[in-house]
Amino acid sequence: MGLLDKARKLSPWLIHYDCGSCNGCDIELLACLTPLYDVERFGIVNVGNPKQADILVVTGTVNQQNKHVLKNIYEQMPDPKVVVAIGVCACTGGIFRDCYNVLGGIDKVIPVDVYIPGCPARPEQILKGIELAIDKLAEKRNNIREEKKDVV
Ligand code: SF4
């Protein structure tokens, strides 16, 4: 099943947080919304409210200041939810990992389901990562359904 079929079944809503990036990965992520890649044709919607989002996509490194914002956004999202780290900065801290205020990748603060490497990550990689995130979201939704069956 391709991205189109998967997205049509789930219509996931995404929220993006720029943790502390150089904006390189943000530009590539924005490219996914342009007519060339047009991620919305798959039924994937970019939203601004974490309470409406299924998938959190994060660019940049996490530091002492933005870790609170990142955690706050994550905690506001309803279950099931999936987190995607875009670019090596979000995955590991990247070229900023040795900076005095950088904690590392975003998994130092919240659980990450999909890691997309690259500096910057390319739109094609981001689309593939979103496809993996949709698989994870479907898996988590099924797990919740099964748990509810056990309770009844
Ligand atoms: S991975 Fe590269 S392009 Fe992306 S935010 Fe870090 S330095 Fe910038």
Side-chain angles (χ1 to χ4, degrees), residues 73-123:
I73 293 171
Y74 177 78
E75 286 174 354
Q76 286 185 70
M77 292 171 65
D79 284 321
K81 55 192 164 190
V82 171
V83 177
V84 181
I86 296 180
V88 287
C89 284
C91 293
T92 65
I95 58 169
F96 302 111
R97 68 183 175 278
D98 292 328
C99 290
Y100 70 96
N101 61 338
V102 170
L103 299 178
I106 61 166
D107 59 6
K108 299 277 187 219
V109 177
I110 58 173
V112 174
D113 300 277
V114 179
Y115 295 85
I116 305 175
C119 180
R122 305 291 302 147

Side-chain angles (χ1 to χ4, degrees), residues 10 54 80 136-146:
L10 287 175
D54 307 295
K136 296 266 181 183
L137 186 63
E139 195 183 310
K140 288 185 182 189
R141 281 187 183 173
N142 282 339
N143 290 345
I144 287 177
R145 274 195 207 109
E146 292 302 317

Side-chain angles (χ1 to χ4, degrees), residues 21-82:
S21 82
C22 74
N23 286 145
C25 285
D26 304 309
I27 290 167
E28 299 300 322
L29 181 59
L30 278 177
C32 296
L33 295 168
T34 61
L36 186 61
Y37 296 101
D38 192 14
V39 76
E40 289 185 346
R41 76 195 138 109
F42 300 121
I44 299 167
V45 179
N46 185 28
V47 294
N49 186 344
K51 291 176 183 161
Q52 297 172 335
D54 307 295
I55 300 174
L56 171 60
V57 292
V58 184
T59 50
T61 60
V62 67
N63 60 44
Q64 291 292 355
Q65 283 194 317
N66 64 26
K67 71 177 182 185
H68 304 291
V69 181
L70 178 63
K71 201 160 189 289
N72 188 277
I73 293 171
Y74 177 78
E75 286 174 354
Q76 286 185 70
M77 292 171 65
D79 284 321
K81 55 192 164 190
V82 171

